[in-house]
Amino acid sequence: MHPCTSIAEQKRIEEILEKTVAPLPSFEMREKSPPPPESNSLEFMYFYKSLEKDQRLEFLEKLSHDFGVDHRWVSDLASKLLDAQVRDVATVLQVEDRLRYSLTPRYRHLLSHISRVPGGVKFLVDLRADLLEFTSSKSSDSTHLRDLNSTLKSLLSEWFSVGLLRLERITWQSPCEILQKISQYEAVHPVRNWTDLKRRVGSYRRCYAFTHASMPGEPLVVLHVALTEEIANNIQGIVREFATLDVDEDVNKISAAIFYSISSTQAGLQGVELGNYLIKRVVRELQSEFPHISQFSSLSPIPGFSSWLQGALSQQKKEGRALELLSEEEWKEVEEVTGAAPGASTLEALRRLISTSDWIHSERLIHTLEPVLMRLCAWYLYGEKRRGYALNPVANFHLQNGATMWRLNWQADTSPRGIANSCGIMVNYRYFLQETGTNSAAYLHNRVIKASEQVLGLVSQFQMNSKL
Amino acid sequence: MHPCTSIAEQKRIEEILEKTVAPLPSFEMREKSPPPPESNSLEFMYFYKSLEKDQRLEFLEKLSHDFGVDHRWVSDLASKLLDAQVRDVATVLQVEDRLRYSLTPRYRHLLSHISRVPGGVKFLVDLRADLLEFTSSKSSDSTHLRDLNSTLKSLLSEWFSVGLLRLERITWQSPCEILQKISQYEAVHPVRNWTDLKRRVGSYRRCYAFTHASMPGEPLVVLHVALTEEIANNIQGIVREFATLDVDEDVNKISAAIFYSISSTQAGLQGVELGNYLIKRVVRELQSEFPHISQFSSLSPIPGFSSWLQGALSQQKKEGRALELLSEEEWKEVEEVTGAAPGASTLEALRRLISTSDWIHSERLIHTLEPVLMRLCAWYLYGEKRRGYALNPVANFHLQNGATMWRLNWQADTSPRGIANSCGIMVNYRYFLQETGTNSAAYLHNRVIKASEQVLGLVSQFQMNSKL
Amino acid sequence: MHPCTSIAEQKRIEEILEKTVAPLPSFEMREKSPPPPESNSLEFMYFYKSLEKDQRLEFLEKLSHDFGVDHRWVSDLASKLLDAQVRDVATVLQVEDRLRYSLTPRYRHLLSHISRVPGGVKFLVDLRADLLEFTSSKSSDSTHLRDLNSTLKSLLSEWFSVGLLRLERITWQSPCEILQKISQYEAVHPVRNWTDLKRRVGSYRRCYAFTHASMPGEPLVVLHVALTEEIANNIQGIVREFATLDVDEDVNKISAAIFYSISSTQAGLQGVELGNYLIKRVVRELQSEFPHISQFSSLSPIPGFSSWLQGALSQQKKEGRALELLSEEEWKEVEEVTGAAPGASTLEALRRLISTSDWIHSERLIHTLEPVLMRLCAWYLYGEKRRGYALNPVANFHLQNGATMWRLNWQADTSPRGIANSCGIMVNYRYFLQETGTNSAAYLHNRVIKASEQVLGLVSQFQMNSKL
Amino acid sequence: MHPCTSIAEQKRIEEILEKTVAPLPSFEMREKSPPPPESNSLEFMYFYKSLEKDQRLEFLEKLSHDFGVDHRWVSDLASKLLDAQVRDVATVLQVEDRLRYSLTPRYRHLLSHISRVPGGVKFLVDLRADLLEFTSSKSSDSTHLRDLNSTLKSLLSEWFSVGLLRLERITWQSPCEILQKISQYEAVHPVRNWTDLKRRVGSYRRCYAFTHASMPGEPLVVLHVALTEEIANNIQGIVREFATLDVDEDVNKISAAIFYSISSTQAGLQGVELGNYLIKRVVRELQSEFPHISQFSSLSPIPGFSSWLQGALSQQKKEGRALELLSEEEWKEVEEVTGAAPGASTLEALRRLISTSDWIHSERLIHTLEPVLMRLCAWYLYGEKRRGYALNPVANFHLQNGATMWRLNWQADTSPRGIANSCGIMVNYRYFLQETGTNSAAYLHNRVIKASEQVLGLVSQFQMNSKL
């Protein structure tokens, strides 16, 4: 029993669920059952939205626990199936069919029906966002919740199947409502004002989004592209460049497409692949608009690098292996520049240095730190793993899509945010269209990361210098 | 082995399937597997479209038989599930999850991927039309085909979920492409020319269709509505009335909405409920446009009545119970009118009479036959069943939706087609909005038909007169 | 007094005019006067539309006569202007300004105000169609009517200025309403059915129209284009060719754009240049879609050639110069083929021949007549004039636009209509884009027709053979 | 000769004009002349845009002086007209026609042709803005410039005739481009941010604009409306009220429509009536959306009141009649409140008071000043005239439209701008739809201002108190 909900509230939750979650029809009647009245769906939605966070958790636990699969039925059919093995194949198929049906949770139909009510799909997307929060925070025993989540995810995957998504190019002529959302959702390189926003949809830029018939006016995933002469190595040159804002595009100056920001907007669609498909659709779109474009690449942030580095330095200090990350010469330079005493305190000085953005005002520090931070960053991206896949989520995303880890760029994002996140380093994940399929499979099945010589070079420098 | 396909062809079919239908990923990798390349889907589609009917059947048999469920895996998991019963619930849930996954046919993912390719959804709808043809014609052992059909149907049901459909009102300003299709698809009361068509979308008429994002420009189900003062009892007054074609609608003259034609256009969407939802959406649409409309009713054809009647007469003759359908007096009238000799030959005369449309030119015959045909028709609609549900498919459709069998109308469709199908009789299925839910459930669960007094009166007249 | 209108009717006409045609404000108040109430315009329109043809004529005569320019005021200002000549230029300008204002007919403001009422512009276009009919039929003394016509025309010219027209490409996705009108308005090569119509907007075809904001859904002038490999010499190959109806266009097969039909739809816009501008806009449109297209040409009918030829033959017969049109050899051939007696009766035989379409079934006749009819037709187009400009209206239109009379095509329109109008001959007016300006000026100012060698060759053959 | 343009530049100007301004065709050829090549228009536009302000003035002076009317021709025709008086009416009409034609300035055709070029209309609107600036600043002898201006204005009036304008409702779904412009152009109550802007197009608000086919995406005149329960007396309650921003509108709470801001955006369309027509169209639009709305009123600023008041006070002081504007009692109160010495220095104190916005923080001052400022303001609006019409331009605009000066509102705009402009007072001009025609005519012809009792009462209080 949850301490936070009163007995009366629990009672009410039970009543609502009993009333709105219709029983699964029998196998024979499964095609013949009339849909429950729409009011069921509406009542369910209305009630859920009126609940506080804690109550929602309890509500979903009850839903997933009491209105899921009928386990006895399933096990009966499992027995029957084993018996049927000796019989003809038609019988086996028939029992399998029943078994499959019996494995449908009772709440699945309700979810389906809710999707038909105006606003229903959006409701379910938001409900799943709650679910993900609950299951990840482990605030509860979540065995059943995970089942509910997986059922809901599989439904959402069908509804948000790529065939049902609409690619929209966002321009300055798009509805203000959409543009304001684009502006809000842009988490990677925040939009500051109208001119900033206009820049993102102006000359030499493209902005695309997937939208969906059942959530009109709501961009689900947004991709910002810059059209450039060469693969960009600096983000300010893209988001803070206004000289070409209103000029006509000169096709001859366009030979690369840079994906410089991609944002998913719906927490509840986690795991439903949209970003990957959006990139592929946009590539096709750009190829048809500019048949001669041959270079496709991201210019991506490296969130987490700085804090990983801080962690690594602390760790080293603790373990007394403080000096392994840099070469002797490099340590000396740091000492000189920072005026720190040799040894552990240099390490401390270095840590302090990179915890602020002051160093970027010193040409000498910039020069000194470049080789160090670049090889550390290369290692962070290439060598640090979680369950065998790249630890950095942006890297993981692009590698899954089949991109190549192509180039680390020093001083690529000198905004405070860029310095704070990744010491100003950004990375290009390049899409060689002929290879993405192979790369993706190699990464997913064998955890092989495709990387360029520059990256591999930095990684081996790291390995020579460091004993992390 | 099919006699109609050569060994080379069979070989080719096997190759294509092996190449394009990717194996099901392991349970652990199910979320991590990259999608197969789009070219798989395209190759599958291209190959299938190039096949002849016979080859298609073989292709689908092979697909459904060799690329379905891995039965051994399923039975292994079924055993595990039985073992798990003694363990904790988390284990049970986990095994159920695996079992559910193992019951996914291998071809399911291919179908999903095809839906993402341009034209893919339409391809699958058409493929299912083939499937339905094959399974219904029983031209083959169809156990596995039925499994394939059921998998495909469940996918289509999600993709064509009502939330993803778009209601479009078709007007004279709609694209010509759509209007031409509306014209082609109108099977109930064929459209003859531009003026006919303009009439269907002009004043005092509405035409609505559901369309779907992945099949643009393709109306899936079309509903024609007439806005009238009273519930219409005659179809010519609707489709052949041009006086009000271009006048402005007078809201005060509108107090009933008559659904006089509903057509599904995609054979492959059989069993995916669209018509029912379309009627409900249109009712809501009309209520918001004309808040004072209170009467909603169909004016429906009765396909099959004439041939049923012919059958019944033949049967009676064969069984020597020829005279039971009409009262003595009625038989006498028929004798007089037709000049036939009494007895069996009168019955023969009656049969001949209703097999042509000549009788509608005789006031006397019209008068004589009215009570007879009306009560026979009422019985046909209300009393004749198939698996407990109304034999007449139009009746079955509206009764499932919760309509009431409200009024039989004599001389309601005097077109040759109308006379040939149902001796000119049409029927109103009326939608009392407060009752449709209850009616639908009563019909589907208990096979109870809700009918008006007129209909019930005719039925009991039939029961008194006939001993069918 | 018109015999057809009663005194009461005349009275009513006078009342309405007095009421609705506001006096011209004084020169000083011309900017300060409030617009007359909209009801004036509506009453005027309503009244006019309720009138019969005869009454309309009287109404317009009265309007133009009694509500035109104040002649006394004009002549007073003319005197003043002459007096002012000796004074400073400012005074001259001022009096000129007043004089210009005084020359504004009183009804001009009403016309302006009508244009602001919904449906007003269309009303004025239709009113002008009436006016043109009245002035051309000379059913009345039309001095004042012509003034009214010229005022109205100048207003329409501003409202229908090309800058205010919208070019619309008509496709199979265009509103049915538009396509039906396109179908109706196509006078050159009538559209027979849906497939015909679909052909005109399908692959390798383009259909463009100008529309105007104040007459929505109404195409004002329509241009049909065929995209071909070579300049077409036959119209059936364009309007009766269905092989490529649904295929994808192959850009490499397109090197010529053939204007095969242009229709103005509004009689009331006569003299307001639209067709010329439409051709030019479409050329620009096509050039941007197909940068490599280099050949632009019409394939035009020659209405009036047959009847001109009949007239010429009659004339010759009457004047006893019957034999001059054909060479001796040719006459002999005609005699042989028709079996006519030599001399005048051969001419009669020839006349009869070309008054039906029978001759096109005889290969021999076709062969015999080709040189004769081709050179006569070339002369008709090139040599026959009205006020110095080409007599044939289609020729005059394209020559004004700066086209070159490029090629006569034998057996180019073998439809009954084509044979009847021009013995099956059609002509290409070719648009050499670099020359149209010069050609147009030469034609309009100096009445010089630019023609190809083929045409000039035929003309000189005619001149050698005939003494017309 | 202008000192600021070199001889070379003058030469160039003359060349361009000679080249691009085609001579007027002869009267006979006026319908037959081919249009000059588009390149003329483009060259003219390009050249003009490249000029500096001073050069533009010279350019326009030359254009208007050397390419205007042929005065000799006009005077010849004026003589002929006088001669013709003795002849028949047909001759008179004919000469009048020629005279009218001769009064067409040569540059008129060029202007017409420019309007047909893409961007041409916008160019002419901007050129006229220049013209208006030049003629108003009297930086030059402008007799000919005024002629050019008047020709251009008459052309613009036809092109921007209300029938050719499109009413657009601006919503949050409108293109961002439009909304940004709406935001920029809003001069009356400036928009501060996205939320402000969203408020103007959200619930209980309407925003309408006229746009024109030849200037797409450019709102010409914008009207902001608030839907309220009563006629609003305070602007902050409209533009700073966010409580109802996203709620659904309750029709029952709407019984008044308040026009709280109207802005013309194109300086070059001065004198072309748009605002008046926009208000009328919007009234019609609102009546059809809310048939029960009966109150239409503006809530208008009173620009110029404060500075007029300052002027009046200064004037009085100078003339020693300082004390006449307020009653003795009122002066005493001002003395007390301000602590000023009696007499002239009180007046000075008062002047200083209202020259800042400090007084609105004192309840007592607000109370003291209310009767004084209200009656002075009423007089300013009602009594102060320019050429007989209301001096205040906003008043003049609404009175021309036929509105009634209905209510002055104290503390209606307490923004710094509102206090600075009009001591926070605003005024409602109310539109009684049945009376606007009469009111407008009375105002324009007889300079009669229709005002409510409140206003007239304040005016007579003023007249009793003041001897201005």
Side-chain angles (χ1 to χ4, degrees), chain D residues 305 308-309 312-313 324-326 350 354 369-384 408 425 458-459 461-462 466 468:
Chain D
F305 169 55
W308 169 85
L309 182 54
L313 291 171
E324 290 175 359
L325 283 171
L326 279 66
L350 179 61
I354 61 174
L369 291 176
E370 175 171 359
V372 181
L373 293 177
M374 287 287 274
R375 69 173 187 260
L376 284 163
C377 189
W379 174 255
Y380 165 69
L381 288 174
Y382 185 87
E384 291 289 331
L408 266 70
I425 305 175
L458 289 166
V459 166
Q461 279 172 43
F462 169 84
S466 318
L468 205 63

Side-chain angles (χ1 to χ4, degrees), chain B residues 170-184:
Chain B
I170 313 297
T171 71
W172 199 230
Q173 272 69 47
S174 298
C176 212
E177 183 176 31
I178 295 253
L179 276 157
Q180 190 209 13
K181 284 184 182 163
I182 296 286
S183 168
Q184 276 175 349

Side-chain angles (χ1 to χ4, degrees), chain B residues 305-357:
Chain B
F305 170 54
S306 293
S307 57
W308 170 84
L309 182 54
Q310 292 284 351
L313 290 171
S314 299
Q315 185 69 18
Q316 298 247 320
K317 192 178 167 195
K318 224 185 289 168
E319 300 176 7
R321 297 180 301 119
L323 305 181
E324 290 175 359
L325 284 170
L326 279 66
S327 71
E328 232 166 286
E329 215 169 323
E330 287 166 351
W331 279 126
K332 244 178 242 161
E333 279 218 66
V334 172
E335 275 162 34
E336 275 178 47
V337 174
T338 59
S345 64
T346 321
L347 189 145
E348 193 51 37
L350 179 61
R351 268 194 57 191
R352 259 202 313 275
L353 211 58
I354 61 175
S355 74
T356 73
S357 61

Side-chain angles (χ1 to χ4, degrees), chain A residues 172-177 179-180 183 194 197-198, chain D residues 172-177 179-180 183 194 197-198:
Chain A
W172 199 231
Q173 272 69 46
S174 299
C176 212
E177 183 176 31
L179 276 157
Q180 190 209 14
S183 167
W194 288 82
L197 182 55
K198 198 173 175 183
Chain D
W172 198 232
Q173 272 69 46
S174 298
C176 212
E177 183 175 32
L179 276 157
Q180 190 209 14
S183 167
W194 288 82
L197 182 55
K198 198 172 175 184

Side-chain angles (χ1 to χ4, degrees), chain C residues 173-213:
Chain C
Q173 271 69 47
S174 298
C176 211
E177 183 176 31
I178 295 252
L179 276 158
Q180 190 209 14
K181 285 184 180 162
I182 296 286
S183 167
Q184 275 175 350
Y185 288 145
E186 166 57 300
V188 189
H189 306 291
V191 173
R192 298 172 308 179
N193 52 36
W194 287 82
T195 317
D196 251 37
L197 182 55
K198 199 172 175 183
R199 168 70 295 201
R200 312 265 169 131
V201 297
S203 272
Y204 295 108
R205 299 292 180 272
R206 291 293 182 275
C207 175
Y208 291 97
F210 269 149
T211 58
H212 192 262

Side-chain angles (χ1 to χ4, degrees), chain C residues 193-365:
Chain C
N193 52 36
W194 287 82
T195 317
D196 251 37
L197 182 55
K198 199 172 175 183
R199 168 70 295 201
R200 312 265 169 131
V201 297
S203 272
Y204 295 108
R205 299 292 180 272
R206 291 293 182 275
C207 175
Y208 291 97
F210 269 149
T211 58
H212 192 262
S214 64
M215 288 167 65
E218 192 70 49
L220 303 175
V221 51
V222 183
L223 179 63
H224 291 270
V225 185
L227 304 171
T228 59
E229 294 197 71
E230 303 194 334
I231 293 182
N233 58 10
N234 181 286
I235 188 66
Q236 270 77 35
I238 292 175
V239 297
R240 299 279 172 269
E241 186 271 317
F242 298 102
T244 61
L245 176 54
D246 284 320
V247 305
D248 285 342
E249 287 175 0
D250 177 352
V251 169
N252 299 313
K253 289 196 178 155
I254 296 176
S255 54
I258 309 304
F259 312 127
Y260 66 93
S261 172
I262 182 162
S263 312
S264 292
T265 70
Q266 307 295 316
L269 291 179
Q270 197 190 86
V272 176
E273 264 198 79
L274 298 175
N276 178 8
Y277 282 103
L278 180 56
I279 288 182
K280 285 179 181 160
R281 272 296 305 276
V282 166
V283 164
R284 236 182 296 157
E285 205 70 15
L286 292 171
Q287 283 182 314
S288 103
E289 192 180 353
F290 305 102
H292 64 287
I293 284 193
S294 57
Q295 304 172 79
F296 295 92
S297 173
S298 79
L299 177 61
S300 300
I302 311 170
F305 169 54
S306 293
S307 58
W308 169 84
L309 183 54
Q310 293 283 350
L313 290 172
S314 298
Q315 186 68 17
Q316 298 246 323
K317 193 179 167 193
K318 226 184 289 168
E319 299 176 8
R321 298 180 300 120
L323 304 181
E324 291 177 358
L325 285 171
L326 279 66
S327 71
E328 232 166 285
E329 215 169 324
E330 287 166 349
W331 278 126
K332 245 178 240 160
E333 281 218 64
V334 172
E335 275 163 33
E336 275 178 47
V337 172
T338 58
S345 63
T346 321
L347 191 144
E348 193 50 35
L350 180 61
R351 266 194 59 191
R352 258 201 314 274
L353 212 58
I354 61 175
S355 74
T356 73
S357 60
D358 296 342
W359 59 273
I360 64 157
H361 303 302
S362 150
E363 277 303 321
R364 192 165 164 199
L365 272 170

